[in-house]
């Protein structure tokens, strides 16, 4: 590549990327790229426009429930645990507590580096989860039903020690990763209203706050159906996705 610098044009500079990225770059790059400097490294950020394949008509829907203990739970019973991510967040908070009194430059720099590290770790976790969910939907010919995340801060009411672990941007990031990976695979995605998905019975449909025994357990007071609370919620999201898809496609 070549770049313009204050000293004129620098030609034939080398850059590197993964084999997959190089393939995408050579086929789909659009416009100019941005050069950025971060943590002692130079990054070239290029925009690629990849044409999306035709969205296949889904045979069923895989519902995805987002949470904090389990970052994502799908209606087929798969739980993606957030333990590792929550541990990284916890360590950074501890470090901040210790360093906050020292307002030195080096303390600030260290915290900034840790914040970036945490963000990279979260993004990587989200990429892995999104890929697994999209691969599973593709394999089973299903669409993906996601919660509409408008107002997630109001919906997720937590006790104070947990509140700090709630990063709504991380939920949005996971949702957007699933969105673009699904589009690339031709997998349908639908967003549904998440109201009462944790209190509703996915077997008989009854809504009751007492159905939710604790963080992890759901037991229906009407029909007796019992399931992990997040799996039950994901099943409700899947059902709403199916209904929503049928309505929008009948019209
Ligand atoms: Zn029930």
């Amino acid at each position: 590549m070549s770049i313009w610098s204050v000293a004129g044009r620098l030609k034939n500079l080398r850059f590197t990327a993964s084999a997959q990225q190089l393939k995408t770059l050579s086929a789909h790059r659009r416009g100019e790229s941005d050069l950025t400097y971060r943590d002692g490294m130079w990054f070239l950020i290029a925009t690629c426009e990849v044409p999306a394949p035709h969205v296949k008509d889904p045979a069923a829907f895989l519902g995805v429930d987002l949470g904090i203990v389990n970052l994502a739970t799908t209606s087929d019973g798969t739980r993606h645990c957030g333990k590792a991510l929550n541990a990284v967040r916890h360590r950074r908070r501890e470090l901040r507590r210790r360093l906050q009194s020292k307002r030195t430059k080096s303390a600030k720099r260290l915290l900034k580096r840790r914040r970036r590290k945490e963000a990279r770790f979260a993004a990587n976790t989200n990429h892995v989860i999104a890929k697994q969910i999209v691969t599973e939907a593709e394999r089973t010919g299903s669409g993906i039903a996601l919660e509409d995340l408008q107002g997630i801060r109001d919906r997720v009411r937590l006790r104070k020690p947990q509140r700090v672990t709630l990063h709504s941007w991380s939920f949005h990031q996971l949702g957007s990763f699933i969105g673009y990976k699904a589009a690339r695979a031709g997998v349908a995605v639908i967003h549904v209203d998440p109201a009462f998905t944790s209190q509703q019975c996915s077997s008989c449909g009854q809504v009751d706050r007492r159905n939710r025994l604790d963080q992890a357990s759901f037991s229906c007071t009407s029909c007796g159906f019992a399931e992990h609370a997040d799996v039950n919620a994901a099943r409700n999201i899947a059902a709403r996705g199916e209904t929503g898809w049928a309505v929008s496609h009948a019209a």
Side-chain angles (χ1 to χ4, degrees), residues 171-191:
F171 285 109
H172 284 90
Q173 186 183 57
L174 180 56
S176 72
F177 285 180
I178 291 173
Y180 88 77
K181 286 181 205 293
R184 270 199 199 173
V187 168
V189 171
I190 190 165
H191 289 86

Side-chain angles (χ1 to χ4, degrees), residues 40 45 52 59 63 65 92 97 113 126 136 147 189 223-224 238 245:
I45 301 173
D65 177 71
R92 181 169 69 90
R97 203 165 296 151
R113 207 155 53 215
N126 281 340
E136 184 57 18
E147 299 168 69
V189 171
C223 75
W245 186 267

